[in-house]
Amino acid sequence: MDYVTKLLSGVVAGLVMVASAIPAAAAGSGALNTPLDPFTDGTLSRYLWTVPGVIKKNGFVTEFMCTNLDAPGSVANIGVEIFDNTGTQLNNINSPPPAGGCNGAILSVPAGSTVTISNGATLQLHEDCIIGIGAFDNGSARIVSTSSKIVCNALVADSQNVVVNASGTTTGVSPAVSSLEVIKRSKQLGD
């Protein structure tokens, strides 16, 4: 019996050593705890809004529409950084955008102007910036800007379908759209 006990304790110790040597699945820090980077023009970003429920999967994409409400004559940089379900950051406003692409930021948005940043193109909506990232589900996003006077809306949209009438003409109606909650950085309504 003593031999079996020693053998089992040795096997268990060996398994613990092997298991501790295997790297854990990489997970990020999420929208709230990932350090902020400046925009590509060097201006500092401010974390304004959190958006849970961000998705890019099975033809659904997430659209972020933001308006600069700052004083006339001023401009603001506006950016969206997306995180997957593990909290891993998928894009960065500080990374140089690919040729003809977008890193999630639009620089020098004039006061009164609205921009749309998305993680995919749709057939029904206009996107000013399409972030080139792969499919994911159950993610989140943070909206950052150089100005605190930015208001935003977010929605999940069907990127592949178009509603047509009986004659086959597009109606301009989006087939599937759902609004997402836009939360003041880390405070949900009622906090």
Side-chain angles (χ1 to χ4, degrees), residues 65-159:
M65 290 149 279
C66 296
T67 303
N68 179 0
L69 297 179
D70 221 333
S74 64
V75 296
N77 294 348
I78 300 173
V80 174
E81 292 182 320
I82 298 176
F83 298 81
D84 68 12
N85 64 322
T86 69
T88 300
Q89 189 173 357
L90 301 179
N91 71 302
N92 187 308
I93 60 158
N94 185 255
S95 299
C102 181
N103 64 358
I106 299 179
L107 306 180
S108 301
V109 177
S113 295
T114 301
V115 294
T116 302
I117 300 171
S118 180
N119 60 16
T122 63
L123 295 173
Q124 295 287 0
L125 302 172
H126 163 79
E127 292 86 15
D128 297 293
C129 165
I130 299 172
I131 305 166
I133 55 177
F136 66 95
D137 55 8
N138 302 329
S140 63
R142 68 180 175 196
I143 299 171
V144 297
S145 179
T146 54
S147 170
S148 61
K149 296 180 180 175
I150 303 297
V151 293
C152 299
N153 185 26
L155 55 93
V156 173
D158 181 340
S159 68

Side-chain angles (χ1 to χ4, degrees), residues 3-17:
Y3 172 75
V4 172
T5 304
K6 285 182 183 179
L7 180 64
L8 283 175
S9 65
V11 168
V12 169
L15 288 173
V16 168
M17 275 182 46

